Amino acid sequence: PPPIEREALSRKEIRRLFDEVESYRNRLILVVAIETGARNSDIRCLRVEDVSVDEGLIHFRDPKGSRSYDVPISNNLVFELEFWCKHHRGAYTTGQDAGYLFPSQHGGKLESNGSLNRIVTGAADRAEIQETIGYTSLTDTDRERLNTDKERLEWNRVTTHTLRHSY
């Protein structure tokens, strides 16, 4: 696709977005994205042991083929992540051995960038801060590869990557 300029969300837009997130897990995922600037794939791959509540850090492993790094997090986020792990995360796992900080509803990790993007774009739609910022026409080969009948793809203003810019 052609390069798309992403603009950060305003504080007001971020609050509206958070107000429209449908679950505690999903809201916490968005808070991690906003507070760390992490990529979609890095958030989906976070494991429970990547959070150091004692040091107030999240460790990101091998992000996009780069070196691992640590990001300091606020005391509020430390509290929320600790609370999530102790009281809510177990409802998403098929056993405590799943390991992922934010498991899917079926256990294991959220499988694709699209799964996390749907959480963000759905909340943005409900918050009425979503808009289309571009289109890409699809060739027959593209449609076959993507298994779609669409003539073009829409590019949304608010995606998980937008949260990275809002960081």
Side-chain angles (χ1 to χ4, degrees), residues 118-130:
R118 280 188 291 280
I119 292 168
V120 175
T121 58
D125 284 339
R126 290 186 298 278
E128 298 179 349
I129 59 172
Q130 188 64 278

Side-chain angles (χ1 to χ4, degrees), residues 90-114:
Y92 285 88
T93 59
T94 53
Q96 286 300 97
D97 60 342
Y100 290 99
L101 183 60
F102 301 115
S104 73
Q105 293 178 343
H106 308 291
K109 75 174 184 175
L110 292 167
E111 286 300 320
S112 69
N113 284 348

